Amino acid sequence: MDHQYETAGGITVHRHATPADGATLAELAVELDERRGAILSSGVEYPGRYTRWHVGYVDPPLELVARGRSVEVRTHSARGRVLLPALAEVLRPVGEVVSECEKTFTLYIPPGTEAFEEEDRSRQPTVFSALRAVVDAFASPSDEHLGLYGAFGYDLAFQFDPVRLRHARDAEHRDLVLHLPDELLVWDRRRETCMRYTYDFTVGDRSTVGLPRGTEPSPPAPRRAVPERQPRGTYAQVVRDAKEYFRRGDLFEVVPGHKLYGTCDRPAAFYERLRTQNPAPYEFLFNLGAGEFLVGASPEMYVRVAPSVPGVPQRIETCPISGTIKRGTDALEDAEQIRTLLNSTKDESELTMCTDVDRNDKARVCVPGSVRILARRQIELYSRLIHTVDHLEGRLRPGLDAFDAFLTHMWAVTVTGAPKLWAMQFIEEHEALPRRWYGGAVGFVGFDGSMNTGLTLRTAHIEGGVATIHVGSTLLFDSDPEAEEAETELKASALLGALTPPAPVSAHALLREQPGAGMDVLVVDLEDSFVHTLGDYFRQQGARVRTLRHGRALEALRSSSPDLVVLSPGPGQPSDFDCAGLMALLDERGLPTFGVCLGMQAMLEARGTSLSQLETPAHGKPGRIRVLGGSLLDGLGEEFTAGRYHSLHARPAEVKGYEVTAVLDQVAMAIEDPVRRQWGVQFHPESILTASGGTGHRLIANLLTQCSLAAVDR
């Protein structure tokens, strides 16, 4: 499928589209270990918020690089050299030409000297003036994927809003690298289709048609030693320093960071592990050339701008994130963590200030009254963290473009603080090294007027085999220094963990972790609604499980000797199922027994304990269980939460023949007789209310371990 159109700058674009295999993106990632290019993917979908596309390319024929106020257009093939004269022509009026040859064109853009109103700050001379000229030359509504792809460094902000620099900058460090691809792989996640778009360009009497697409491999950077990590407590001291600024009113919030280090020799493999282990809205792998890579899984949109449509103000969006808490071990713990996060006034204040600053950023460039909050304190879950997120939009004023939207937010309050300029000054004075790429952005600037960028967070900058991970935390006056330092380490943990491939787990190791391996368990079903979940818990510990209704179980137990008999929960009373006869047989044969709820009540009645009825039945209710002793509840702490489904119960003081090892108010919740190898619980270990922290699974593992030990002792 072919398409041809002419851009606003008179460049003719020929596009050829063919279906492709989505697996080709993974193959492309491997190429990026040695060749310039990128993959941008999205592993998290929130309706209306994040992109539907995965995009990849390799061997771009042309790139734009900025160092300070110098912009270099560099070609990497004969195809790029076809385009260079057209770009040189549109760039000459923007600044001062430094050098020009067949392969490169370099421009210096001096700062403006005239006074200006704040509403016009985004139109002042910066390297973005050059980018705007390039995009204008290629402008066309005919293609939604062709554009500039790359990374924007943190120091670019100082052309927009200068601060006093404390750290010397390496003249070779690049502040911006953008690629112009001529071949794109685009996977539409919504439709599950993948297309390959190949482009040719005609400029005057020159064309790229027939010219080879390959470029020279990107040379690796010299090997580097891994820097030493700053002493623990250093970041906590920065938090203490910031408190004095808050006290004086110089800052409302600030987001300083620090660097952690690891090793990485294969960025593509690291990217695949990271996006598998830590899916995020903005996943990316960039080979920026010169031996530099960026690999990230960023949770936060920076700026997204809709395509330009004549007569319609362009929509701009942001999704500021602030408010963080650690993930639980399961959905139930997540729910508790979410409740804690949403009830935190500190975390609410963090996000409130971020959103108020973001609204102010938009007000500079947006149609009056068009800035709106679309979503407030929404929850987003990632592999190790839970965040609260706001979603905002505005409409650009006529005459402004995506770069105005980009610049007015530079850099996001969520990586700087407020007031923004004072926060950036604090960061410059209190961080040990320049940020370089951290706190900037990665993404796409479309020739159709669109833009989609993510903040460079949760990102590793890889150079010379060293992966540098810069992490920060939003500080307020009521921040706890040690807790904020711990939060930064938690944020870095997913990346540090993905740097190293997981060690293979042997079958023998798995067996050692399953205390039920080789054991036969018979579950006696007392017409219960939870019996198969209970049986599954034993299977997860390696046991062989068979389940029989109470009548058939009694017959089977006369001729078989399972390693453990489990008396299930159930309705009614033990006498409804002739549990007295069942217990008599189990005692006669000396078979290990575990009773759950009704099963425990049967065990108690068999020893002469009278059962009582609760005034209010506890059906599907959580209860805080207090541990008194024994072995069954080892590792569950002094108290834990468990699910209850019962009205019958025994009072602890009236229990006969068993040690009461857990209680809730005046209810016996766990009993043990290790000599006879009998254990019981009044709560349900298989309930979701007992699942938090793996409580139910731990209990079953303890039971199987105790059952095995008791058999050895006999």
Side-chain angles (χ1 to χ4, degrees):
M1 184 166 52
D2 293 303
H3 178 60
Q4 179 174 311
Y5 62 91
E6 186 169 303
T7 73
I11 300 168
T12 301
V13 179
H14 315 262
R15 185 188 72 196
H16 180 64
T18 56
D21 186 347
T24 311
L25 279 168
E27 298 169 2
L28 186 149
V30 176
E31 293 189 63
L32 294 177
D33 276 339
E34 297 181 352
R35 315 190 76 84
R36 292 176 182 83
I39 290 181
L40 297 97
S41 56
S42 182
V44 171
E45 181 64 32
Y46 285 91
R49 194 178 300 174
Y50 299 126
T51 182
R52 63 193 265 194
W53 309 108
H54 293 342
V55 180
Y57 63 90
V58 69
D59 290 335
L62 184 146
E63 70 180 6
L64 286 82
V65 174
R67 294 179 176 87
R69 286 183 165 271
S70 293
V71 179
E72 178 187 36
V73 184
R74 176 176 292 273
T75 63
H76 294 291
S77 67
R79 298 175 65 81
R81 291 193 287 277
V82 170
L83 291 169
L84 186 61
L87 298 189
E89 181 180 348
V90 299
L91 287 172
R92 289 181 202 281
V94 175
E96 303 168 359
V97 177
V98 175
S99 64
E100 183 177 5
C101 67
E102 184 187 15
K103 296 183 177 180
T104 64
F105 179 86
T106 305
L107 190 76
Y108 174 76
I109 302 173
T113 57
E114 297 181 2
F116 58 88
E117 297 177 355
E118 283 302 309
E119 289 79 1
D120 297 326
R121 182 174 289 275
S122 61
R123 289 283 159 159
Q124 299 312 299
T126 66
V127 297
F128 289 87
S129 306
L131 301 185
R132 188 176 272 120
V134 171
V135 171
D136 287 347
F138 280 92
S140 170
S142 298
D143 192 296
E144 61 182 323
H145 300 300
L146 189 61
L148 302 175
Y149 293 78
F152 303 81
Y154 180 80
D155 277 7
L156 290 170
F158 304 144
Q159 297 181 33
F160 181 75
D161 248 336
V163 303
R164 300 181 304 278
L165 298 182
R166 167 197 171 203
H167 302 290
R169 266 57 176 181
D170 189 322
E172 292 303 308
H173 287 175
R174 299 175 295 175
D175 296 316
L176 177 146
V177 177
L178 294 178
H179 296 149
L180 173 57
D182 62 358
E183 185 174 48
L184 291 168
L185 274 170
V186 180
W187 182 16
D188 185 335
R189 295 178 60 231
R190 190 175 302 162
R191 297 176 179 170
E192 293 298 323
T193 58
C194 188
M195 298 293 291
R196 183 189 301 274
Y197 297 100
T198 55
Y199 297 88
D200 279 296
F201 306 97
T202 299
V203 182
D205 59 355
R206 301 183 65 187
S207 174
T208 63
V209 174
L211 296 178
R213 294 184 182 274
T215 67
E216 290 297 318
S218 171
R223 297 290 299 182
R224 298 171 54 208
V226 178
E228 292 185 4
R229 179 183 166 175
Q230 66 184 22
R232 187 174 295 277
T234 304
Y235 189 84
Q237 184 56 50
V238 174
V239 180
R240 296 185 186 95
D241 293 343
K243 284 177 175 286
E244 294 305 312
Y245 288 73
F246 299 138
R247 196 185 308 276
R248 293 195 302 265
D250 294 346
L251 294 172
F252 308 143
E253 63 180 352
V254 69
V255 194
H258 63 120
K259 298 178 188 285
L260 302 172
Y261 302 95
T263 58
C264 181
D265 292 316
R266 296 187 57 211
F270 170 43
Y271 162 75
E272 291 293 347
R273 287 194 298 271
L274 183 62
R275 67 185 296 261
T276 299
Q277 298 172 16
N278 188 52
Y282 290 87
E283 305 160 345
F284 50 89
L285 163 61
F286 279 96
N287 182 335
L288 299 176
E292 270 193 285
F293 299 83
L294 291 177
V295 178
S298 175
E300 186 167 350
M301 180 190 298
Y302 175 53
V303 172
R304 183 165 65 189
V305 183
S308 177
V309 177
V312 179
Q314 283 179 274
R315 182 179 188 239
I316 64 174
E317 295 174 83
T318 54
C319 291
I321 292 178
S322 200
T324 301
I325 199 167
K326 184 179 180 180
R327 284 289 301 267
T329 58
D330 52 34
L332 295 174
E333 283 195 3
D334 279 346
E336 290 300 319
Q337 292 292 80
I338 290 168
R339 182 180 291 110
T340 299
L341 180 59
L342 291 177
N343 287 330
S344 167
T345 55
K346 173 188 177 292
D347 288 288
E348 183 177 9
S349 295
E350 283 185 21
L351 188 55
T352 295
M353 286 192 273
C354 289
T355 295
D356 275 344
V357 174
D358 187 285
R359 292 168 64 231
N360 180 73
D361 291 339
K362 287 181 175 61
R364 187 196 324 240
V365 297
C366 283
V367 173
S370 69
V371 178
R372 296 193 306 136
I373 299 175
L374 302 177
R376 173 64 171 160
R377 298 197 80 198
Q378 288 195 326
I379 292 294
E380 290 187 4
L381 285 79
Y382 296 95
S383 65
R384 306 190 185 199
L385 297 167
I386 304 171
H387 291 305
T388 46
V389 185
D390 284 356
H391 188 181
L392 292 88
E393 72 166 3
R395 298 283 174 167
L396 277 174
R397 295 200 315 269
L400 301 184
D401 59 19
F403 288 115
D404 294 295
F406 188 98
L407 286 167
T408 194
H409 292 88
M410 185 180 276
W411 285 113
V413 59
T414 52
V415 293
T416 55
K420 194 180 290 188
L421 189 57
W422 285 50
M424 288 193 289
Q425 188 66 56
F426 178 92
I427 289 167
E428 177 69 17
E429 293 170 358
H430 287 82
E431 291 190 358
L433 295 165
R435 286 190 163 187
R436 297 191 66 183
W437 299 108
Y438 171 74
V442 295
F444 162 71
V445 181
F447 294 150
D448 63 351
S450 67
M451 175 182 285
N452 193 359
T453 55
L455 279 172
T456 315
L457 300 171
R458 318 288 154 79
T459 297
H461 172 221
I462 302 165
E463 196 171 21
V466 174
T468 302
I469 299 167
H470 200 130
V471 284
S473 182
T474 302
L475 310 183
L476 308 181
F477 179 71
D478 46 357
S479 289
D480 175 82
E482 285 70 29
E484 298 291 358
E485 183 164 351
E487 181 178 309
T488 66
E489 294 169 349
L490 178 61
K491 288 175 176 176
S493 63
L495 279 88
L496 292 170
L499 283 172
T500 305
V505 180
S506 70
H508 292 296
L510 286 173
L511 285 175
R512 286 196 301 271
E513 295 173 1
Q514 295 187 311
M519 296 181 66
D520 289 310
V521 174
L522 174 62
V523 178
V524 181
D525 179 8
L526 303 179
E527 300 180 11
D528 182 48
S529 294
F530 311 117
V531 64
H532 296 296
T533 303
L534 184 61
D536 183 67
Y537 273 38
F538 285 93
R539 292 187 181 97
Q540 290 179 49
Q541 300 298 330
R544 294 185 292 270
V545 178
R546 59 178 179 148
T547 306
L548 296 175
R549 286 285 173 91
H550 47 92
R552 289 196 59 199
L554 188 63
E555 296 172 9
L557 285 169
R558 291 192 174 100
S559 57
S560 64
S561 299
D563 297 301
L564 177 65
V565 178
V566 178
L567 306 182
S568 83
Q573 302 187 31
S575 59
D576 294 328
F577 304 98
D578 187 22
C579 286
L582 179 59
M583 286 302 304
L585 178 62
L586 293 174
D587 283 339
E588 176 187 331
R589 302 210 56 206
L591 295 176
T593 305
F594 175 58
V596 177
C597 202
L598 182 66
M600 175 177 140
Q601 294 160 17
M603 295 167 63
L604 289 168
E605 274 198 338
R607 296 279 182 92
T609 300
S610 297
L611 301 177
S612 302
Q613 186 169 302
L614 294 172
E615 289 186 8
T616 303
H619 295 160
K621 305 291 186 182
R624 288 296 291 173
I625 311 301
R626 181 161 60 91
V627 178
L628 302 179
S631 303
L632 184 62
L633 307 178
D634 278 352
L636 301 185
E638 296 181 357
E639 287 191 350
F640 61 89
T641 299
R644 304 170 65 193
Y645 288 87
H646 71 101
S647 56
L648 295 180
H649 70 286
R651 295 183 178 89
E654 298 177 359
V655 169
K656 300 176 182 178
Y658 293 98
E659 177 189 1
V660 177
T661 57
V663 296
L664 188 160
D665 298 328
Q666 292 301 309
V667 177
M669 299 304 294
I671 57 173
E672 298 188 25
D673 183 349
V675 175
R676 289 187 174 89
R677 297 186 293 170
Q678 294 185 353
W679 303 266
V681 292
Q682 181 61 68
F683 57 87
H684 283 240
E686 81 288 352
S687 169
I688 62 170
L689 297 173
T690 318
S692 182
T695 295
H697 293 86
R698 177 64 181 268
L699 184 150
I700 299 302
N702 287 347
L703 170 67
L704 291 166
T705 300
Q706 293 302 313
C707 192
S708 298
L709 291 174
V712 171
D713 291 341
R714 290 170 70 92

